Amino acid sequence: MIGGLFIYNHKGEVLISRVYRDDIGRNAVDAFRVNVIHARQQVRSPVTNIARTSFFHVKRSNIWLAAVTKQNVNATMVFEFLYKMCDVMSAYFGKISEENVKNNFVLIYELLDEILDFGYPQNSETGALKTFITQQGIKSQHHTKEEQSQITSQVTGQIGWRREGIKYRRNELFLDVLESVNLLMSPQGQVLSAHVSGRVVMKSYLSGMPECKFGMNDKIVIDKQGKAGSSEDGGKSGKQSIAIDDCTFHQCVRLSKFDSERSISFIPPDGDYELMRYRTTKDIILPFRVIPLVREVGRTKLEVKVVIKSNFKSSLLAQKIEVRIPTPLNTSGVQLICMKGKAKYKASENAIVWKIKRMAGMKESQISAEIELLPTNDKKKWARPPISMNFEVPFAPSGLKVRYLKVFEPKLNYSDHDVIKWVRYIGRSGIYETRC
Amino acid sequence: MQEWANQLCENRQFGSKMTDSKYFTTTKKGEIFELKAELNSDKKEKKKEAVKKVIASMTVGKDVSALFPDVVNCMQTDNLELKKLVYLYLMNYAKSQPDMAIMAVNTFVKDCEDPNPLIRALAVRTMGCIRVDKITEYLCEPLRKCLKDEDPYVRKTAAVCVAKLHDINAQLVEDQGFLDTLKDLISDSNPMVVANAVAALSEIAESHPNSNLLDLNPQTINKLLTALNECTEWGQIFILDCLANYTPRDDRESQSICERVTPRLSHANSAVVLSAVKVLMKFMEMLPKDLDYYGTLLKKLAPPLVTLLSAEPELQYVALRNINLIVQRRPEILKHEMKVFFVKYNDPIYVKLEKLDIMIRLASQANIAQVLAELKEYATEVDVDFVRKAVRAIGRCAIKVEQSAERCVSTLLDLIQTKVNYVVQEAIVVIKDIFRKYPNKYESVIATLCENLDSLDEPEARAAMIWIVGEYAERIDNADELLESFLEGFHDESTQVQLQLLTAIVKLFLKKPTETQELVQQVLSLATQDSDNPDLRDRGYIYWRLLSTDPVAAKEVVLAEKPLISEETDLIEPTLLEELICHIGTLASVYHKPPSAFVEGSRGVQHKRLPGSAGSGESVESPDTSSAAGLSEAPPAVIPSQGDLLGDLLNLDLTPPATTGPTPPPSSGMQLGAMDLLGGGLDSLPPIPLRTDTPQSPQLPHQSPSPPDYSPTELGGDLGGSPAMGAAFGAPPAVMPASFNAPVSGGLDDLFDLGGGVGMTMGAYSPPKTIWLPAMKAKGLEISGTFARRAGVIQMEMTLSNKAMSVMTDFAIQFNRNSFGLAPAGPLQVLTPLNPNQSIEVALPLSTVGPVMKMEPLSNLQSGRVHWEATLPACCLPAPVLVLIVDSVS
């Protein structure tokens, strides 16, 4: 299991050092600094073995988190734990920065004591942790006996993510379908790979211990219902359903129920959480098409023309559109003409950045650039990195639709109809690249 | 979204206090003294501030152990935050101040009785972390109470504490009966208590390999599966990892466990997913292939594995290393998922390299066009390692998918035209392999290759190019000039290039004897007279002698038809792969090494294996046959079948070693080395454990113990002069100057003889056979054996079992010098080839007239060397010589 956990700043100074196992000594702290943080070359692996000691690390802005062990630990678990640790810290004090870590070091030690025991991760749900790790030490003495046992039963209980007795005057629910659409396209416009990775993020402000059921236009469910119901309906609804390649759920979802009935039922955590993640690869709506044209005119000039076409309903508006056209390292000057938006050559980033605030569906826009190059004797050809794109659209490129989200709380006197529900769809670009 | 986030912010009760960072900045002189005063202050607030400063100093590595008594004095407080800080300090320094640490015991014992369960748990948790013997004595009673505490939070903490205590004092834990209490907790009503008890028991069981501590039976398994649905994500991981150690009784039980584990594949936590995959991959072995459920399971495994690739890069890396194993074991799972392994421009380099590996493994006729287009794209990227690997991958595709070979070769030629130095060199290395796979097909490209001769500066590329020139000397008009140009700086070249140059020129000579006589003499004299490298000298002498005795034979030997190279050259050896599959998700699966290679001590030394396949109840009892049955479906041959030894010898540095050895040097997790082994030659053979000064190629007997006065000219004369020398090839090389061993071994011989005279009784004791050489370490050859005295003759009785995929032939054995002068009295009699899964019994009569060398310990018969085809790592045979001697005396 995890033998120790260290947090460093960008210079390699230790901010937090917590050792759980006897086989990890203080020298491990230095070994990681010398061999990884101060190493000249780029990180070649997130797992490093130095003198029979294994170091796992992740980086958040310029803070390094490193877990150390001498055993054959579950590596996946260690990384998952490090991410979780980051989440917990952000939930307590916001951004993970050197200043914040130093300001909260007592809290961090307290958290590390609680969520990692002898290197074994324990309950790390912030909802539960915040009930008893408060940095207001004296207060915890004043918990009544019932409060104390309530805390411990929640931390260890089946529903470790929610405490009992939550009350809201207004029961409200926000549901966001956030998708990022990824594309790799050949210069000829052939889709090399495309997939959507989506998340259903919820904010629930519900009283009591509500039982929720979530439904979407999952092909398997719709087909099943189609068979059960009228057979005519089947073909019609089949079009509107989507094939989900795979999905994963927050630990509140009853997985065995999903496995057997494909229904998503759960008692939600209070506040913010990610209900599910999913991935689709079939029938993806690609919101934009990028058509590049690169021509090398002699050794010192490059002509680039890029056309973007929006491919969705003309009534919808895409926002925050940004096209990034890489330029060679020996670029000396760039002339730009674009029909819409603003374009700039950013020498420090070796790219032309073309920004458009809004663009409706079924439209087309174009940029042309003349790139002057310095003559070099570098034999190596320019690698021509792909043209990448960023955007945001108000629909789900996978075609996912939320069909229902039902809430039942039998013990309290509110029904599904009393809950105010908000649903929103946002499609963003993930890695959206066209090779040129 | 932003507005909603703000709503939440208001609910946050913790405004950050912007003051604590100041504790990190105090670096005044006399600081310790000041802190001491503050710690003893009457004001609570000041005390707390001081303890914070102490902890901050401790964090940055300053020694604040001098403050021990003052800090411990602060322990008696009702302020929980302060208490936790003091505990943190105690955990760090108690070991250095054991006597003072006793002062804290009372508080701990008192806290373990506190009405607040959080405090009880805190006390027992901290106490377990204080590794001072005297304190652990006091820990037992509170721990016993806490294990039966009414509050689950205390019980789950106490469960882990048993593991802590066991780490400090294992005997104490057993004596106090904590293990039984811990076992009882597996039936606890609270799932988190169950999970922690499982984690603790698994850890304790690891250091007691043979104890039946975890006692997994269908009832406990059922309890665990129930808890699985209810506990935290981490608890699920502990339970799944524990389940993976269970061997179901039959295929029905196996299936029912699989059915209850599959829902975990949809968990958001990747570790839960991978641990579930591990359980499924393992239990799947037991399911009959024709079962419907087997197919369903295979289909269910692909999507979650693909989903892991959309996780954070570090997790992607771990997932990819595991997928690499899974694809080797069950290629069918991901065969349609090639596209997800395409490299993205922004992937970190470690993800890119791993994806590339898997792309090659999944390459097939169906997807080769896409793969090649991608690889060509990658070959123009920036990172040198990645580009090199991409170029090699193109070569591997050519070798793997015959239909694509032509396209691959033309792609490689395009890349050579880019003139990027390392791309050209890499391309030439792989083209050499393509030539070996498809002889007489693509030689038209040789001219292009020759144009780039001057730009090659890496030994591997130079060696490859020289091999090509030598191999195709008859088609290259100026082959002699090309090779001669290399000869000028002969002594500056690396061994690899020197060896290759020697072979190439000999080949050239045999093909064009008239023009190249001078050249060959030049290289032979360079190799034999001016070189200090024994390998080079030996090879030079062999050629010299071959050429001078019988040029026709030389031609037959040197220009013999070479065996084709196999498709897959970097597969993990099956026994190791099986073990790694049992370790999916763990560090072992990231390093692709068994845990014993990087874990110290007793932990993780047990080798795990997959259960037997296809529902036969008996398969569990006979692991040998069952694992073989499991293996039989693993597709390609791992060990390239090189026909004759001489062919092997002559092309030694061109034959890709079949696998990376089971114990490559522990370095970083990246296995860049795996590719480098290809064609790496002698230098890059995996390190051989127990390596002595014996030769790597035992066909060269005179190479073994190089005497200090070894002079090239003398031996050269010898070689030329004695035509019988050739006969020594392959004979057991136990011949030593008689003067050396006569007196000593004579005496020992007497000793043994004495036994021979007296102990003629038939039922002489011989110990049962033990495994001397596990299959893992010897490319699939397992040797178990014992020593016995049969009719007065000492015999080494061995069972050789072939656990690899291909037929083994040409067995020979060699003994190194040992304390008793034991040496084979005759050659090893294995006449028939050994087929896969076959075992053979061999008895080797031994004599005691071999060379004697005192070994430590005396009874060790070190480096008995059994040889088939390739040289095996030497093994250490613990000879029960004492038994033999006792036997003789009686």
Side-chain angles (χ1 to χ4, degrees):
Chain A
M1 283 305 113
I2 298 173
L5 204 139
F6 309 127
I7 302 181
Y8 300 85
N9 66 7
H10 66 288
K11 285 187 244 161
E13 293 164 353
V14 203
L15 304 179
I16 297 287
S17 122
R18 176 74 160 92
V19 174
Y20 293 94
R21 300 248 169 175
D22 207 34
D23 53 3
I24 302 300
R26 183 80 201 176
N27 52 356
V29 182
D30 303 324
F32 183 76
R33 172 181 34 242
V34 173
N35 288 289
V36 180
I37 302 182
H38 289 172
R40 290 281 158 78
Q41 66 177 136
Q42 194 192 351
V43 174
R44 302 306 274 193
S45 163
V47 186
T48 322
N49 193 315
I50 307 163
R52 293 204 147 214
T53 309
S54 299
F55 294 82
F56 301 75
H57 74 264
V58 299
K59 248 187 120 177
R60 284 289 181 271
S61 59
N62 45 29
I63 296 293
W64 299 74
L65 277 89
V68 194
T69 183
K70 282 206 167 184
Q71 299 174 22
N72 181 30
V73 295
N74 187 325
T76 336
M77 185 185 79
V78 176
F79 279 123
E80 282 284 0
F81 177 79
L82 288 175
Y83 301 137
K84 195 71 184 195
M85 183 68 208
C86 293
D87 290 349
V88 171
M89 288 197 290
S90 326
Y92 268 96
F93 52 77
K95 191 173 173 261
I96 298 172
S97 63
E98 180 172 352
E99 203 192 349
N100 276 345
V101 170
K102 279 183 172 175
N103 277 332
N104 293 284
F105 83 99
V106 176
L107 167 73
I108 295 174
Y109 276 126
E110 203 175 334
L111 285 170
L112 281 175
D113 197 42
E114 183 58 42
I115 62 179
L116 208 52
D117 191 3
F118 202 40
Y120 290 104
Q122 305 291 307
N123 192 339
S124 48
E125 285 298 315
T126 34
L129 289 172
K130 281 188 172 175
T131 58
F132 67 107
I133 295 192
T134 55
Q135 278 293 284
Q136 289 160 10
I138 307 208
K139 194 182 140 197
S140 48
Q141 287 291 308
H142 300 307
H143 280 309
T144 63
K145 195 147 190 220
E146 287 113 67
E147 276 172 340
Q148 285 164 3
S149 72
Q150 198 189 328
I151 289 170
T152 56
S153 78
Q154 192 209 336
V155 174
T156 59
Q158 286 187 31
I159 308 160
W161 51 87
R162 188 181 181 92
R163 66 192 165 90
E164 277 185 54
I166 298 172
K167 276 213 175 78
Y168 286 99
R169 195 186 299 161
R170 193 160 80 149
N171 288 300
E172 202 166 13
L173 223 157
F174 300 85
L175 198 149
D176 282 348
V177 176
L178 305 175
E179 292 195 340
S180 77
V181 51
N182 298 277
L183 170 74
L184 184 62
M185 198 176 244
S186 76
Q188 292 76 33
Q190 186 198 355
V191 176
L192 296 173
S193 74
H195 75 272
V196 167
S197 53
R199 305 188 298 145
V200 177
V201 175
M202 290 185 61
K203 264 192 194 82
S204 58
Y205 303 109
L206 301 170
S207 313
M209 285 295 208
E211 178 72 44
C212 298
K213 213 173 161 190
F214 175 68
M216 55 189 177
N217 57 341
D218 178 359
K219 194 163 188 286
I220 298 175
V221 178
I222 305 255
D223 286 358
K224 226 192 253 173
Q225 286 171 350
K227 263 178 219 156
S230 61
S231 55
E232 290 163 42
D233 204 39
K236 208 174 157 192
S237 60
K239 243 183 214 170
Q240 286 162 355
S241 64
I242 62 160
I244 292 177
D245 287 29
D246 189 36
C247 44
T248 58
F249 297 98
H250 186 271
Q251 59 169 326
C252 66
V253 176
R254 293 184 189 92
L255 294 179
S256 36
K257 209 156 181 189
F258 177 75
D259 195 55
S260 56
E261 303 162 26
R262 225 176 154 84
S263 76
I264 303 165
S265 62
F266 55 99
I267 295 172
D270 193 40
D272 245 334
Y273 63 99
E274 186 182 286
L275 178 68
M276 73 178 278
R277 282 186 186 212
Y278 56 91
R279 188 166 47 81
T280 73
T281 46
K282 290 203 186 73
D283 305 319
I284 293 169
I285 308 158
L286 295 171
F288 284 95
R289 164 90 204 270
V290 178
I291 305 155
L293 210 77
V294 180
R295 210 159 65 92
E296 286 173 45
V297 188
R299 290 189 56 118
T300 56
K301 205 170 147 191
L302 211 60
E303 280 181 10
V304 181
K305 200 172 98 174
V306 176
V307 180
I308 57 168
K309 284 182 179 172
S310 57
N311 175 32
F312 47 88
K313 261 191 256 167
S314 52
S315 58
L316 297 174
L317 272 181
Q319 293 183 57
K320 300 177 192 165
I321 300 146
E322 185 186 288
V323 182
R324 187 170 277 267
I325 305 160
T327 55
L329 296 173
N330 56 336
T331 302
S332 60
V334 176
Q335 266 117 50
L336 293 163
I337 311 163
C338 58
M339 292 154 44
K340 222 176 161 217
K342 278 180 194 160
K344 234 187 212 166
Y345 165 61
K346 295 199 174 164
S348 59
E349 295 164 39
N350 288 310
I352 300 165
V353 180
W354 176 26
K355 286 182 177 169
I356 305 170
K357 271 192 186 141
R358 268 180 213 91
M359 187 165 168
M362 310 314 278
K363 288 265 172 21
E364 178 173 324
S365 192
Q366 183 185 323
I367 185 170
S368 29
E370 268 187 33
I371 302 170
E372 306 275 345
L373 302 175
L374 289 169
T376 57
N377 39 12
D378 192 5
K379 268 193 205 152
K380 195 169 173 346
K381 245 178 63 184
W382 177 46
R384 281 206 190 183
I387 296 175
S388 59
M389 216 187 148
N390 288 316
F391 53 79
E392 199 178 293
V393 290
F395 59 89
S398 69
L400 182 131
K401 289 268 184 299
V402 176
R403 287 172 59 223
Y404 57 82
L405 191 114
K406 293 176 196 152
V407 181
F408 311 94
E409 169 55 51
K411 286 186 196 150
L412 297 174
N413 55 350
Y414 71 94
S415 74
D416 187 36
H417 298 288
D418 303 328
V419 180
I420 307 159
K421 299 170 194 166
W422 307 84
V423 180
R424 192 165 60 154
Y425 299 89
I426 301 172
R428 292 202 183 97
S429 51
I431 295 164
Y432 203 84
E433 294 177 338
T434 308
R435 288 183 179 154
C436 57
Chain B
M1 196 72 185
Q2 196 56 49
E3 296 133 32
W4 297 353
N6 286 341
Q7 285 182 359
L8 254 195
C9 272
E10 287 164 24
N11 294 343
R12 265 186 39 179
Q13 22 180 329
F14 314 104
S16 63
K17 295 170 282 179
M18 303 303 277
T19 52
D20 279 2
S21 60
K22 69 170 186 268
Y23 300 116
F24 284 86
T25 51
T26 49
T27 46
K28 286 175 287 180
K29 272 187 186 170
E31 188 193 357
I32 298 273
F33 192 74
E34 247 172 60
L35 279 173
K36 208 177 175 82
E38 284 175 41
L39 283 168
N40 291 315
S41 154
D42 295 335
K43 287 180 194 144
K44 275 188 181 169
E45 224 13 66
K46 204 159 191 185
K47 249 188 189 175
K48 193 166 142 191
E49 294 294 289
V51 176
K52 280 191 188 177
K53 276 185 208 162
V54 172
I55 299 292
S57 306
M58 191 177 87
T59 300
V60 295
K62 283 184 213 159
D63 184 14
V64 283
S65 58
L67 295 167
F68 200 90
D70 311 280
V71 177
V72 172
N73 272 339
C74 303
M75 195 170 162
Q76 284 281 11
T77 170
D78 53 356
N79 183 323
L80 199 56
E81 189 190 6
L82 180 58
K83 193 171 223 130
K84 284 183 179 173
L85 288 174
V86 175
Y87 281 180
L88 190 62
Y89 179 90
L90 265 175
M91 285 188 264
N92 258 322
Y93 289 114
K95 224 176 155 187
S96 59
Q97 312 251 356
D99 295 331
M100 300 242 226
I102 295 291
M103 288 160 55
V105 164
N106 263 337
T107 320
F108 279 125
V109 175
K110 213 176 107 206
D111 278 357
C112 285
E113 309 269 328
D114 197 278
N116 184 343
L118 291 170
I119 300 213
R120 291 202 297 275
L122 178 65
V124 79
R125 185 166 66 211
T126 313
M127 232 170 143
C129 295
I130 296 180
R131 305 176 62 92
V132 174
D133 282 340
K134 284 179 192 156
I135 290 207
T136 39
E137 286 166 25
Y138 290 100
L139 174 61
C140 292
E141 275 322 299
L143 178 58
R144 198 186 315 280
K145 265 186 214 156
C146 289
L147 280 166
K148 303 216 159 115
D149 200 284
E150 53 170 19
D151 194 292
Y153 183 79
V154 181
R155 289 201 303 276
K156 71 114 186 162
T157 312
V160 176
C161 190
V162 176
K164 290 179 190 170
L165 190 58
H166 186 270
D167 194 37
I168 305 169
N169 190 343
Q171 196 55 46
L172 186 68
V173 170
E174 277 169 45
D175 294 347
Q176 296 278 334
F178 284 138
L179 294 181
D180 293 323
T181 324
L182 202 53
K183 275 191 213 167
D184 293 343
L185 287 184
I186 290 194
S187 313
D188 200 278
S189 58
N190 183 294
M192 195 155 171
V193 177
V194 178
N196 277 3
V198 166
L201 276 172
S202 306
E203 178 166 338
I204 295 171
E206 242 179 75
S207 43
H208 292 282
N210 298 319
S211 71
N212 196 18
L213 203 55
L214 260 165
D215 187 28
L216 294 174
N217 54 44
Q219 287 78 39
T220 32
I221 292 294
N222 199 30
K223 280 176 202 157
L224 293 185
L225 286 168
T226 313
L228 188 60
N229 286 325
E230 294 165 353
C231 60
T232 64
E233 46 194 332
W234 313 115
Q236 296 185 20
I237 299 166
F238 308 153
I239 292 179
L240 286 168
D241 284 351
C242 172
L243 268 180
N245 292 325
Y246 176 63
T247 310
R249 287 163 309 169
D250 51 29
D251 51 329
R252 278 224 303 280
E253 190 188 5
S254 184
Q255 177 173 348
S256 82
I257 296 175
C258 287
E259 277 166 358
R260 292 177 70 178
V261 167
T262 37
R264 299 296 120 199
L265 294 175
S266 309
H267 203 286
N269 188 314
S270 314
V272 176
V273 176
L274 261 185
S275 290
V277 169
K278 166 164 60 190
V279 174
L280 296 173
M281 282 292 287
K282 204 179 160 192
F283 289 9
M284 220 155 99
E285 298 287 331
M286 294 191 66
L287 299 176
K289 306 276 167 303
D290 48 354
L291 195 73
D292 282 349
Y293 182 70
Y294 179 81
T296 321
L297 201 53
L298 277 184
K299 272 192 212 118
K300 275 193 176 170
L301 277 171
L305 288 175
V306 174
T307 298
L308 291 176
L309 298 183
S310 41
E312 288 82 351
E314 291 87 2
L315 278 175
Q316 279 187 49
Y317 173 71
V318 177
L320 285 164
R321 294 291 286 175
N322 279 288
I323 289 172
N324 200 329
L325 298 172
I326 293 168
V327 164
Q328 287 183 59
R329 180 75 192 163
R330 300 205 177 269
E332 63 271 33
I333 295 178
L334 287 165
K335 65 179 175 203
H336 299 302
E337 303 287 350
M338 173 59 97
K339 275 189 179 179
V340 298
F341 297 103
F342 285 177
V343 170
K344 291 180 194 137
Y345 190 75
N346 290 324
D347 281 338
I349 182 67
Y350 50 82
V351 169
K352 284 185 177 176
L353 292 169
E354 292 306 317
K355 281 187 174 174
L356 202 49
D357 247 356
I358 295 169
M359 279 174 70
I360 304 164
R361 293 207 193 285
L362 292 177
S364 68
Q365 205 183 329
N367 56 26
I368 195 74
Q370 266 185 323
V371 173
L372 264 184
E374 283 293 307
L375 291 177
K376 200 175 171 183
E377 198 72 39
Y378 304 160
T380 62
E381 280 215 32
V382 192
D383 190 280
V384 177
D385 283 343
F386 181 60
V387 170
R388 281 173 179 272
K389 202 165 182 177
V391 175
R392 284 204 180 207
I394 297 174
R396 294 260 298 279
C397 286
I399 290 165
K400 199 173 171 195
V401 186
E402 187 163 0
Q403 292 80 358
S404 75
E406 198 157 345
R407 283 230 290 290
C408 295
V409 171
S410 81
T411 309
L412 287 171
L413 285 179
D414 286 351
L415 290 173
I416 289 177
Q417 298 304 345
T418 62
K419 303 275 177 201
V420 178
N421 189 282
Y422 54 86
V423 173
V424 173
Q425 310 211 38
E426 211 58 48
I428 285 179
V429 173
V430 294
I431 285 180
K432 175 208 71 192
D433 286 340
I434 295 177
F435 283 168
R436 289 207 59 197
K437 170 82 181 176
Y438 310 107
N440 304 318
K441 217 164 165 191
Y442 299 111
E443 282 73 13
S444 53
V445 308
I446 289 176
T448 323
L449 303 186
C450 289
E451 287 166 21
N452 292 287
L453 209 60
D454 299 333
S455 64
L456 309 180
D457 52 14
E458 290 162 22
E460 207 185 346
R462 286 173 82 86
M465 193 61 221
I466 292 169
W467 182 86
I468 293 172
V469 174
E471 188 66 19
Y472 298 101
E474 68 273 26
R475 307 185 199 196
I476 306 171
D477 295 335
N478 59 343
D480 48 346
E481 283 169 38
L482 293 177
L483 293 176
E484 201 172 355
S485 68
F486 282 104
L487 217 49
E488 282 162 23
F490 187 77
H491 291 297
D492 302 328
E493 300 282 4
S494 72
T495 313
Q496 189 184 6
V497 178
Q498 290 175 334
L499 286 169
Q500 207 42 257
L501 195 53
L502 174 62
T503 307
I505 292 180
V506 171
K507 283 183 191 165
L508 173 71
F509 172 70
L510 289 168
K511 287 173 179 175
K512 300 178 181 173
T514 44
E515 311 117 75
T516 55
Q517 189 127 24
E518 208 174 300
L519 192 62
V520 80
Q521 270 167 3
Q522 203 184 338
V523 77
L524 285 175
S525 95
L526 278 172
T528 54
Q529 288 168 24
D530 303 339
S531 170
D532 293 333
N533 183 328
D535 288 343
L536 185 63
R537 272 196 320 238
D538 287 342
R539 193 184 287 197
Y541 283 126
I542 293 174
Y543 283 139
W544 202 329
R545 230 190 72 76
L546 262 175
L547 294 174
S548 57
T549 354
D550 189 351
V552 181
K555 207 161 186 169
E556 268 172 36
V557 171
V558 180
L559 301 179
E561 204 169 301
K562 272 159 284 297
L564 295 183
I565 57 172
S566 65
E567 287 175 11
E568 305 269 355
T569 46
D570 62 340
L571 286 180
I572 294 174
E573 190 266 321
T575 348
L576 177 62
L577 181 62
E578 273 196 45
E579 188 180 356
L580 292 180
I581 289 285
C582 299
H583 286 294
I584 282 178
T586 68
L587 262 182
S589 72
V590 175
Y591 294 148
H592 288 185
K593 289 176 200 165
S596 51
F598 60 91
V599 176
E600 283 164 1
S602 60
R603 279 194 180 121
V605 177
Q606 304 157 265
H607 292 293
K608 295 188 181 180
R609 358 184 19 169
L610 292 173
S613 68
S616 55
E618 67 210 50
S619 64
V620 183
E621 285 144 33
S622 56
D624 281 357
T625 49
S626 62
S627 83
L631 278 175
S632 59
E633 40 139 5
V638 174
I639 296 150
S641 49
Q642 278 116 4
D644 57 331
L645 287 169
L646 277 176
D648 190 13
L649 164 66
L650 296 171
N651 287 294
L652 200 56
D653 38 345
L654 284 161
T655 316
T659 55
T660 56
T663 49
S667 55
S668 71
M670 312 281 299
Q671 279 225 328
L672 295 172
M675 289 288 295
D676 290 333
L677 286 177
L678 235 143
L682 283 169
D683 302 329
S684 60
L685 276 170
I688 295 171
L690 287 178
R691 185 171 166 173
T692 60
D693 59 349
T694 46
Q696 303 222 345
S697 36
Q699 302 92 324
L700 303 172
H702 60 277
Q703 200 183 15
S704 51
S706 37
D709 60 337
Y710 186 88
S711 89
T713 36
E714 263 179 47
L715 241 166
D718 249 336
L719 276 169
S722 73
M725 193 61 190
F729 275 84
V735 209
M736 279 296 289
S739 58
F740 175 63
N741 65 12
V744 196
S745 73
L748 276 170
D749 203 12
D750 282 355
L751 192 64
F752 280 114
D753 259 348
L754 186 74
V758 183
M760 280 296 278
T761 41
M762 292 304 284
Y765 170 76
S766 67
K769 284 181 185 173
T770 50
I771 291 184
W772 286 342
L773 184 69
M776 287 241 322
K777 285 197 175 162
K779 299 181 180 172
L781 177 64
E782 186 182 276
I783 304 177
S784 56
T786 185
F787 290 85
R789 180 183 282 267
R790 306 267 181 236
V793 179
I794 304 168
Q795 283 197 338
M796 186 163 89
E797 295 179 352
M798 293 184 288
T799 308
L800 310 178
S801 318
N802 182 351
K803 305 236 157 135
M805 305 296 303
S806 55
V807 178
M808 296 176 176
T809 53
D810 301 307
F811 290 90
I813 191 159
Q814 171 192 330
F815 276 54
N816 281 11
R817 283 189 252 177
N818 52 66
S819 316
F820 302 101
L822 280 174
L828 187 64
Q829 296 283 340
V830 185
L831 298 174
T832 46
L834 194 56
N835 290 318
N837 302 329
Q838 198 189 0
S839 293
I840 194 167
E841 304 276 339
V842 200
L844 182 70
L846 300 179
S847 67
T848 50
V849 294
V852 174
M853 191 167 87
K854 192 170 173 248
M855 299 299 292
E856 283 299 327
L858 202 65
S859 62
N860 253 21
L861 174 59
Q862 201 190 30
S863 291
R865 185 180 282 262
V866 174
H867 156 79
W868 62 276
E869 291 183 345
T871 310
L872 298 171
C875 61
C876 175
L877 310 181
V881 179
L882 291 173
V883 172
L884 288 172
I885 294 171
V886 170
D887 179 28
S888 343
V889 172
S890 68

